[in-house]
Amino acid sequence: MPLNITSIKTSSNGVWQGDNPLDYAFPLLIVQFTLVLIVTRSLALLLKPLRQPKVIAEILGGVLLGPSVLGRSKSYLHRIFPSWGTPTLESVASIGLLFFLFLVGLELDLHSIRRSGKSAFSIAAVGISLPFVCGIGVAIILRKTVEGADEPGFAQFIVFMGVALSITAFPVLARILAELKLLTTRVGETAMAAAAFNDVVAWILLALAVALAGNGSGSHKSPLVSVWVLLSGLAFVVLMMVAVRPVMEVVARRGENDAADEFYVCLTLAGVLVSGFMTDLIGIHSIFGAFVFGLTIPKEGNFAKKLTERIEDFVLGLLLPLYFASSGLKTDVTTIRGASAWGLLVLVIATACAGKILGTFVVAMFCMIPARESLTLGVLMNTKGLVELIVLNIGKEKKVLNDEMFAILVLMALFTTFITTPIVMAIYKPARGNSVKARRKLGDDSLGSGKEMVEKLRVLACLHGPSNIPSVINLIESTRSTKKSLIKLFMMHLVELTERSSSIIMVHRARRNGFPFFNRSHRDQWHDRIAGAFQAYTQLGRVTVRSTTTISSLSTMHEDICHVAEEKMVTMIILPFHKQWRTEVNGDNEKYQVEENAGHEWRVVNQKVLKNAPCSVVVLVDRGYGNLPETPIPDSIVYQRVCIIFFGGPDDREALELGKKMLEHPTVKIRVVRFMEKGVLDDNNIVLNFSPDKNKDDSYSFSTAKINRQQEKELDEEAIKQFQSKLNDMVEYVEKFSEDVVEDVLIIGKSGDYDLIIVGKGRFPSNMVAGLAERKPEHAELGPIGDVLSSSEHEVLSSVLVIQQHDVTLVDDAPVCKVHDEYGTVNTAYSSHGVGISIGNDNAV
């Protein structure tokens, strides 16, 4: 129906001149945008504890704003969403949809689909075919039952119903799998491969449905028109893959150059619009052209990533919710009236679920997949969402679906997607396996016996980005012995899973790379950079490097880290500190340090790993440790200078163990500084109390275990004695009597004499360390000494390594504060709280 656009003005003259902004197109669009964002984001927050994908909130928000709920108020509907504003709203939303489908095409890697196994192909084929056939049966019932459902042509109607029931939303499924941490499992890999294949077939079927539908009056149209539309669409796809794809490969290579990337990004975005126009000209919806154009973009390299980063926030955050809102405005649940109509809704939901779940289950069982995993696959493949709603909107636009049918199918899509996460969580728990007793701490990693004894150190190094690689390489190199030692290094790139489309792209690639399975055959750029740095050592067979990427929400990132550490039986986890310092030079050639902060969320990840790790953990505070030469320079040997600060206790003994691994390296000089307390130790007693403040960020936490302190002293003396037996020109041992621990430690840190200072976390502290409990910590998770050396205020020059020994007896800890000091002074502010924890006797923490 034509609209008289001459009566619609873009902007108003303002309220002072008597104009109501809501009577003008652009101010009204701003209000609609704002309302949609507020409602959808609020619903997303409410549904977050249920671990629902964002698309659920966006669809519900659209339904809430539409005639089903708020739209029942005619004054609201006519004022906020008037009929004359619908073309403007849908045009802007369609731009968002166009670029979203381009992103979907960008996510799909046709090569990975071709590499998918026979089981994934079989599951996808039956998962599409059976629901499609069921959809035909349901379509016949609906045409006879729902008023007006028999008006469109039979062929168009059954194809749309078949597509609506057989589709699987690949982007939504990828998000759910990553959220539930199932991408590591066979279920996750199979579901992703089948969903990718399903996605391609769904778009082909949709193009067929649109070609058959025409303008909705299929009974009065020559069948040849549909044939011409299909042939033209096929020719378009062939043209894109044969002619345009090689051009886009050239564009992608040149677009990776930062100087020219803007031109090529704009050229590509223009290509999206042109492709959309071409398919609309053919008679297929414009989104099909954008999707096919997305498939032509090379997935390797950084160009696809640049494109995604440039457009995804604007499209996914602003324009796409508007599309769902416009869909909600068309969804009127009140059109589902009477028991028969609601019975039809139940029938559609049951048919959709049965076709997908049972079909997938049976084929998966034939592929020798266990019953529980097969059922989980069926539920996952039943995920609808984004693509489903697009299909339904096109069906309504082409007048194949009336209001009642549209509402029934939208509710079906909502229900099937909503139940996916809770059902999968209920029926499937990925088997983590009973790992063999792993070597949990340094010193327990010797293989063999006697002369053939070989030390094998297995290390998991976590990285936030490329800036962490040099420091980790230097740390690993310093522990590499030229004699009988082997190092197996697992490098894990930590990536935050967000709502951004680029996260889904990374999830898809991580599946190929092994997430977080370490794939031997695939070598990504991370592996190449790391293996290149260790090339000389890997040739000697002393260091092997494996890399992977883990993509997870920061709230559960520690689970992936600890799981890999358990599975790979690593001895030590290396965590980058959430702050990093790099040295810059100003115009006067004066050096100064610049602090980079990854954010508090990454600090929480470290805290959780320290709490739950199955092995020893080190936190590396990098102040330029990676700037050292990675290999010795022939003419002038550059030594790494390492200082180990020792107070006593399990964590400090672990620091000594790490130092012992560095002893045999020819370019590492080690100095052990043992802090001794003046006076008779037994006469000094520090009594600690549980802190009234339960926040562990505000107080240091010490172990609540009961340990025999006399035995601990003997272990400390034995560890020092073993270390002293290895003294040579490269190793030095000194004892330091200290009255002011903080000041003396800072003197070491500020001296610049050391590249790396190693300290224990001190969960079972000596008297001197326990005396620091009253300090206000900046980074309490590092322990008192580590906190002093990593503080931003103290201008420490050396990098710091804080080590925590794995010991099941020391796992439980609590924030404490000092009550009695060594002179008997009472801290009355805390003396009345809890039970005192005495340091210096056999019933200590």
Side-chain angles (χ1 to χ4, degrees), residues 474-771:
N474 275 278
L475 178 60
I476 296 299
E477 160 60 12
S478 65
T479 62
R480 182 188 63 86
S481 169
T482 55
K483 298 180 181 179
K484 296 179 180 179
S485 71
L486 300 172
I487 297 178
K488 191 155 192 176
L489 177 62
F490 300 95
M491 304 291 284
M492 179 182 280
H493 181 201
L494 308 180
V495 179
E496 180 185 5
L497 176 68
T498 65
E499 296 289 349
R500 296 166 66 98
S501 184
S502 55
S503 276
I504 303 302
I505 293 176
M506 293 197 70
V507 166
H508 191 211
R509 292 179 182 175
R511 180 186 65 81
R512 290 164 47 203
N513 298 351
F515 159 63
F517 172 71
F518 290 76
N519 194 329
R520 295 176 184 270
S521 60
H522 184 80
R523 300 295 181 91
D524 59 9
Q525 59 176 335
W526 282 86
H527 186 281
D528 292 341
R529 290 188 62 178
I530 299 160
F534 281 105
Q535 186 176 5
Y537 315 133
T538 52
Q539 289 175 352
L540 295 173
R542 296 299 179 189
V543 180
T544 58
V545 183
R546 304 272 293 281
S547 66
T548 190
T549 299
T550 182
I551 305 167
S552 179
S553 301
L554 291 183
S555 59
T556 58
M557 183 78 75
H558 67 285
E559 295 177 8
D560 286 343
I561 297 171
C562 294
H563 167 59
V564 170
E566 182 84 25
E567 187 180 61
K568 300 300 178 183
M569 296 184 294
V570 303
T571 309
M572 182 172 69
I573 299 173
I574 301 174
L575 297 174
F577 192 51
H578 67 284
K579 294 180 182 179
Q580 187 176 6
W581 288 264
R582 70 175 192 275
T583 303
E584 299 283 353
V585 180
N586 59 21
D588 299 328
N589 286 329
E590 294 177 347
K591 293 183 179 181
Y592 63 96
Q593 288 189 331
V594 178
E595 179 182 312
E596 297 176 351
N597 194 331
H600 180 74
E601 294 82 3
W602 287 104
R603 178 188 178 191
V604 175
V605 172
N606 286 357
Q607 291 172 339
K608 290 180 178 178
V609 174
L610 286 165
K611 177 70 176 175
N612 299 286
C615 59
S616 293
V617 182
V618 301
V619 179
L620 179 57
V621 183
D622 184 14
R623 289 191 174 93
Y625 183 54
N627 296 333
L628 292 170
E630 296 170 10
T631 54
I633 301 173
D635 296 330
S636 58
I637 298 177
V638 178
Y639 293 99
Q640 290 192 35
R641 302 158 301 168
V642 177
C643 177
I644 301 175
I645 297 178
F646 186 87
F647 287 91
D651 294 338
D652 284 37
R653 291 196 297 272
E654 193 76 346
L656 279 184
E657 284 292 335
L658 184 60
K660 284 162 65 175
K661 292 187 177 298
M662 297 178 173
L663 284 176
E664 295 180 349
H665 196 284
T667 63
V668 177
K669 288 186 174 181
I670 299 178
R671 188 178 196 226
V672 176
V673 180
R674 184 182 187 184
F675 277 75
M676 309 289 288
E677 195 171 16
K678 286 188 175 181
V680 182
L681 290 174
D682 293 340
D683 293 339
N684 299 326
N685 189 45
I686 303 293
V687 178
L688 300 178
N689 202 2
F690 292 115
S691 173
D693 187 354
K694 299 299 182 182
N695 186 352
K696 292 190 176 183
D697 290 343
D698 296 334
S699 303
Y700 295 117
S701 295
F702 296 144
S703 174
T704 57
K706 291 185 177 180
I707 299 179
N708 187 315
R709 284 192 62 83
Q710 184 58 40
Q711 184 180 2
E712 283 294 304
K713 290 178 183 178
E714 293 173 0
L715 291 173
D716 289 344
E717 294 300 331
E718 178 63 25
I720 290 292
K721 185 178 178 181
Q722 290 181 8
F723 200 89
Q724 287 177 322
S725 66
K726 299 179 181 292
L727 294 180
N728 53 43
D729 294 340
M730 303 290 286
V731 185
E732 182 183 1
Y733 171 80
V734 296
E735 294 182 350
K736 185 175 182 64
F737 292 90
S738 175
E739 295 181 350
D740 189 336
V741 173
V742 173
E743 184 64 30
D744 290 339
V745 167
L746 285 177
I747 289 173
I748 296 174
K750 292 179 179 180
S751 66
D753 294 338
Y754 306 103
D755 301 305
L756 183 68
I757 299 175
I758 303 177
V759 299
K761 182 180 176 182
R763 289 167 300 160
F764 183 63
S766 65
N767 280 1
M768 286 185 287
V769 175

Side-chain angles (χ1 to χ4, degrees), residues 5 106 180 220 539 771:
I5 63 172
L106 204 59
L180 297 180
H220 306 290
Q539 289 175 352

Side-chain angles (χ1 to χ4, degrees), residues 321-385:
L322 200 65
Y323 177 79
F324 291 118
S326 68
S327 304
L329 293 172
K330 303 172 191 173
T331 306
D332 189 356
V333 179
T334 58
T335 59
I336 308 176
R337 299 189 188 95
S340 61
W342 286 101
L344 288 174
L345 174 62
V346 174
L347 173 66
V348 170
I349 292 175
T351 306
C353 294
K356 270 287 186 186
I357 296 174
L358 291 180
T360 304
F361 176 78
V362 172
V363 177
M365 291 291 289
F366 272 110
C367 294
M368 308 303 292
I369 297 176
R372 189 180 291 269
E373 292 186 14
S374 299
L375 185 59
T376 304
L377 268 174
V379 176
L380 288 169
M381 295 301 291
N382 196 36
T383 304
K384 300 289 191 286

Side-chain angles (χ1 to χ4, degrees), residues 17 36 82 97 122 155 264 280 336 392 438 519 602 642 649 692 736 773 798 800 827:
Q17 298 188 44
V36 167
L97 181 64
S122 303
Y264 290 106
D280 193 81
I336 308 176
L392 299 181
N519 194 329
W602 287 104
V642 177
K736 185 175 182 64
S798 304
V800 180
N827 187 336

Side-chain angles (χ1 to χ4, degrees), residues 53-56 58-59 97 100-101 104 107 167-173 175 199 203 287 316 320-321 323-324 327 383-393 413 417 501 504:
K54 194 176 70 170
V55 63
I56 293 288
E58 290 171 338
I59 298 175
L97 181 64
F100 169 72
L101 264 297
V104 172
E107 292 170 16
I167 212 164
T168 297
F170 172 80
V172 180
L173 177 64
R175 174 74 195 186
D199 223 24
W203 289 110
I287 61 174
L316 272 66
L320 201 60
Y323 177 79
F324 291 118
S327 304
T383 304
K384 300 289 191 286
L386 298 166
V387 185
E388 172 82 5
L389 210 62
I390 293 168
V391 172
L392 299 181
N393 272 282
T417 306
S501 184
I504 303 302

